[in-house]
Amino acid sequence: MDQDQKHQIRGYEFHVTGALEKDGRYRGMILISKRGDTLQVYAKPVLIETPSSFKSVHAALIEASAYAQELIYNGAIKALLPADAPLAGTQNGSQAGTQAPRPPDFVGN
């Protein structure tokens, strides 16, 4: 699985990655950059963590991808995304096309 690949489902754009936790396990992370229902592009990606953690980063990435799909297809993602986040290309946000800095414990970046 390509960890840097941008995923697009129903207008939502996101990346999945894994974060190393203090206990040595990996938690899947979903970074949403574009909202599908309003087509809003976020200046700083919205982070959604998976509920489970795993011994391998590969398992965490699979979980993050599956969790993102589940949230998008059942509509639950709308409740997890802020309505008032800065938009890309605005004064409060960064320019479109630039990535927000990521914490150093992300795996595969």
Side-chain angles (χ1 to χ4, degrees):
M1 176 184 288
D2 186 359
Q3 297 173 21
D4 295 323
Q5 183 178 353
K6 184 189 306 185
H7 302 276
Q8 295 180 339
I9 299 173
R10 291 192 174 174
Y12 289 90
E13 291 183 3
F14 61 95
H15 287 80
V16 294
T17 192
L20 182 61
E21 297 183 318
K22 291 180 183 178
D23 64 358
R25 295 174 65 86
Y26 295 92
R27 183 165 305 274
M29 303 288 194
I30 305 163
L31 297 158
I32 307 287
S33 57
K34 183 178 178 185
R35 192 172 174 141
D37 57 344
T38 64
L39 302 181
Q40 178 181 8
V41 177
Y42 296 111
K44 184 177 179 184
V46 177
L47 174 67
I48 299 172
E49 296 182 8
T50 61
S52 303
S53 61
F54 300 89
K55 290 183 181 180
S56 78
V57 68
H58 186 69
L61 294 172
I62 292 169
E63 172 74 3
S65 180
Y67 188 49
Q69 290 181 44
E70 179 182 351
L71 291 172
I72 291 169
Y73 285 121
N74 72 19
I77 196 162
K78 295 174 190 175
L80 300 174
L81 296 176
D84 59 351
L87 301 175
T90 63
Q91 285 183 326
N92 294 335
S94 63
Q95 294 297 316
T98 61
Q99 289 186 335
R102 293 182 185 170
D105 62 346
F106 279 145
V107 176
N109 292 318

